[in-house]
Amino acid sequence: MLDECIRYFKENKGYKRIFYQMRNKYISYGKLSGNIIIDNPEKIELEAVRGLLGRVVEGNKIKFKISEFEKVLKESRFREIELIELLEGYFSESLITKKEKKLEKEVARELFFTGIRERLKITGEYNKTAAELLEKIIRDKGSFYKHDTDNIETENMIYFTIKAINFLKKSTNRIKIALLGAKITSNPHYFDRGMPAGQLLLNLLFYIHGIEYTKEAEKVLELYYISGIEIDTISSFTTAFGISLYTEKGIHQAYEEFIKQSEECMITMSNLKKIIKADCKKKKVFIVENQMVFSHLCEYFKDKEVALLCTSGQLKTASLILIDMLCKEGCTLYYSGDIDPEGIEIADKLIQRRGNKIIPWCFTIEDYKLNISKKIISEESIKKLEKIKSDCFIELIEEVKKEKRAGYQELILDKMKEDIKKINWDL
């Protein structure tokens, strides 16, 4: 009887839209109730409703209650058939409501993570860190992975990433990202930044170190460094003058020779690998953004006890690491950059990082009036000033917004030299 009933309704195409609406309502609401509404019905649909309900429909809309359809079914020779089983037979599938699907998905997800947890326990990788990271991944609900797309691959990715972090926390030596991938998975490219596992690794490392997630290249390099991953050791560099470096064995003689010769030196991440301390004689370091300004100051203060550092624009990881070391030794750092949104932004980042150890230098309104240029600052660039957090820039920011012109370090070289003499009073 069920097969015959299904065949009856399927052979009459006038019932097609009616059945689809009943199906969708059941999936959405979990019950067969409400109205069936067919806009702009075709002739075959009008005839089907007239034959079913004995009703002549006028106008451009068919409307009736699902309960009316069910009543007709119960009064026919198909009265033993339930409407839900008719629908399932009509569509050749078990109808599952959205609520049931959601519950099934939640149960599957719970089993999925239980499986990962057990795998970590069996292999001895489950510890406090692993438990915390797994809970974070569960809370994120797929921000950095796709659950249900390929559960085996996703399970491996989560397991191997947590295993890699356990390895990093235990290791006393730095390891290249390719060697980390090879050691944990036999695939040297597994944790590359462009790979899903590489993104998950970054996400979890940012979380562990309490740093806000970002795709900014220098922030990522810094994160790798503090996590024990050996990064690109050449492209990240800083340039120093009059700054002493120390290894575990004591003062680094090669860099000390640069000081004796009164010459500047380039320091790469590779050079910093064994450096544990940075210091200078007068505990005062003058940091400039511009390479030409730095070279001029180095030449001017040749054979003088002045410590200078050049960031060459944006703050590279090598510069940040050296700045952190200097601050740790009690040095006061004076930072000077161009007076434009980007220059103020860099100064603000340093202050947020190291507080009162960083003194804004040549960032007053008077300095701005001296070094202001004809270069117009774009509106897009001006918007960056809204993100500045340090109160010391409030008046300067208002002036920059009003003038909308950039101020450059090169225009106040003489003032910078006089400032350094005053601060290092015995020059």
Side-chain angles (χ1 to χ4, degrees):
M1 288 294 287
L2 178 59
D3 290 341
E4 185 181 343
C5 186
I6 292 166
R7 188 164 56 252
Y8 171 80
F9 285 108
K10 292 197 83 167
E11 286 177 352
N12 190 333
K13 302 302 180 184
Y15 290 109
K16 185 175 180 179
R17 282 208 282 175
I18 292 172
F19 270 75
Y20 270 91
Q21 279 201 29
M22 287 195 291
R23 172 182 179 270
N24 291 340
K25 282 183 179 294
Y26 180 77
I27 289 172
S28 296
Y29 307 116
K31 58 183 179 179
L32 287 164
S33 62
N35 295 319
I36 297 297
I37 299 174
I38 306 294
D39 291 316
N40 302 314
E42 297 179 3
K43 183 179 178 182
I44 192 172
E45 292 173 322
L46 292 169
E47 290 176 351
V49 171
R50 185 176 60 190
L52 179 73
L53 302 177
R55 182 190 301 173
V56 177
V57 179
E58 295 180 355
N60 61 349
K61 182 183 290 186
I62 294 173
K63 182 178 180 181
F64 62 89
K65 293 180 178 179
I66 292 177
S67 59
E68 292 181 69
F69 187 103
E70 198 165 17
K71 182 181 178 183
V72 170
L73 186 66
K74 290 298 182 183
E75 291 174 351
S76 71
R77 60 195 180 94
F78 300 123
R79 57 184 172 274
E80 299 298 327
I81 298 171
E82 297 296 329
L83 182 53
I84 183 64
E85 63 178 328
L86 172 58
L87 283 173
E88 290 182 331
Y90 185 93
F91 290 103
S92 302
E93 64 179 6
S94 295
L95 297 185
I96 303 173
T97 66
K98 287 182 179 178
K99 186 177 181 180
E100 290 171 331
K101 281 184 179 179
K102 184 181 178 182
L103 182 60
E104 282 185 5
K105 190 173 182 179
E106 288 175 355
V107 170
R109 195 167 185 271
E110 189 175 333
L111 290 173
F112 172 75
F113 285 109
T114 297
I116 296 175
R117 190 178 290 108
E118 291 304 312
R119 184 176 176 185
L120 288 166
K121 288 179 180 179
I122 290 170
T123 56
E125 297 291 341
Y126 194 74
N127 49 33
K128 185 178 178 181
T129 299
E132 186 178 351
L133 293 178
L134 197 56
E135 284 303 312
K136 176 191 165 39
I137 294 170
I138 292 170
R139 290 195 306 270
D140 281 351
K141 293 189 176 179
S143 299
F144 291 84
Y145 67 92
K146 291 182 179 179
H147 179 244
D148 286 340
T149 302
D150 185 343
N151 282 350
I152 295 175
E153 183 58 37
T154 303
E155 178 189 322
N156 285 337
M157 182 177 71
I158 294 171
Y159 169 77
F160 286 135
T161 303
I162 291 175
K163 184 177 180 180
I165 290 174
N166 279 340
F167 174 83
L168 290 172
K169 287 178 75 70
K170 292 176 186 175
S171 180
T172 55
N173 298 316
R174 298 190 180 280
I175 185 170
K176 287 183 171 62
I177 197 75
L179 293 179
L180 179 66
K183 184 171 186 65
I184 301 298
T185 73
S186 300
N187 177 359
H189 299 291
Y190 195 78
F191 292 115
D192 285 357
R193 283 181 63 185
M195 302 295 286
Q199 291 301 308
L200 181 61
L201 178 65
L202 280 174
N203 180 34
L204 298 183
L205 289 175
F206 273 119
Y207 172 74
I208 284 175
H209 293 287
I211 304 171
E212 185 178 352
Y213 182 86
T214 178
K215 292 182 179 179
E216 189 180 325
E218 282 299 328
K219 283 285 186 183
V220 171
L221 291 179
E222 184 183 357
L223 177 71
Y224 279 155
Y225 181 83
I226 63 177
S227 301
I229 296 172
E230 187 175 322
I231 60 176
D232 173 7
T233 56
I234 302 300
S235 63
S236 186
F237 65 90
T238 191
T239 315
F241 178 88
I243 295 175
S244 297
L245 302 181
Y246 298 79
T247 67
E248 289 182 348
K249 295 179 180 179
I251 197 162
H252 198 301
Q253 294 300 330
Y255 289 105
E256 205 61 19
E257 193 61 33
F258 279 104
I259 296 175
K260 290 177 183 177
Q261 298 298 324
S262 201
E263 294 179 6
E264 63 270 33
C265 61
M266 182 180 288
I267 305 169
T268 67
M269 285 298 299
S270 179
N271 301 137
L272 285 171
K273 278 165 59 176
K274 295 182 179 180
I275 300 301
I276 61 168
K277 173 182 167 183
D279 206 351
C280 62
K281 288 185 178 179
K282 296 201 170 180
K283 297 288 186 179
K284 296 180 180 70
V285 182
F286 300 89
I287 307 173
V288 296
E289 173 188 336
N290 186 284
Q291 293 167 318
M292 187 281 287
V293 171
F294 176 76
S295 296
H296 182 88
L297 293 176
C298 289
E299 186 63 32
Y300 184 81
F301 289 107
K302 191 177 181 68
D303 298 321
K304 304 290 184 182
E305 289 185 350
V306 173
L308 301 165
L309 192 65
C310 181
T311 62
S312 302
Q314 286 294 331
L315 294 167
K316 290 180 166 41
T317 306
S319 294
L320 290 171
I321 291 169
L322 197 57
I323 286 169
D324 286 344
M325 288 181 178
L326 290 164
C327 288
K328 189 177 178 181
E329 294 307 311
C331 296
T332 300
L333 280 58
Y334 298 82
Y335 178 79
S336 177
D338 292 332
I339 298 183
D340 58 12
E342 289 73 24
I344 297 172
E345 187 178 40
I346 293 171
D348 182 55
K349 284 180 179 178
L350 278 178
I351 293 170
Q352 296 305 315
R353 185 184 181 91
R354 281 295 173 180
N356 58 12
K357 285 290 182 182
I358 306 294
I359 308 295
W361 172 38
C362 295
F363 277 107
T364 66
I365 292 178
E366 289 71 26
D367 293 318
Y368 183 42
K369 289 176 180 177
L370 288 173
N371 70 12
I372 195 168
S373 71
K374 294 180 180 179
K375 169 75 183 222
I376 301 297
I377 302 172
S378 70
E379 288 299 324
E380 185 179 354
S381 183
I382 288 287
K383 289 178 183 177
K384 294 179 181 178
L385 294 172
E386 303 299 329
K387 298 179 181 178
I388 303 301
K389 298 177 182 177
S390 304
D391 293 339
C392 59
F393 297 115
I394 291 175
E395 292 182 3
L396 178 62
I397 286 171
E398 291 305 313
E399 192 71 17
V400 172
K401 284 181 178 179
K402 184 177 77 174
E403 296 290 342
K404 295 185 178 179
R405 290 188 292 162
Y408 293 116
Q409 286 184 308
E410 295 94 324
L411 303 178
I412 54 169
L413 270 171
D414 289 340
K415 181 183 182 301
M416 294 177 78
K417 289 184 287 190
E418 291 305 312
D419 284 350
I420 292 173
K421 289 178 184 178
K422 287 177 185 177
I423 295 169
N424 273 9
W425 54 271
D426 58 345
L427 289 178

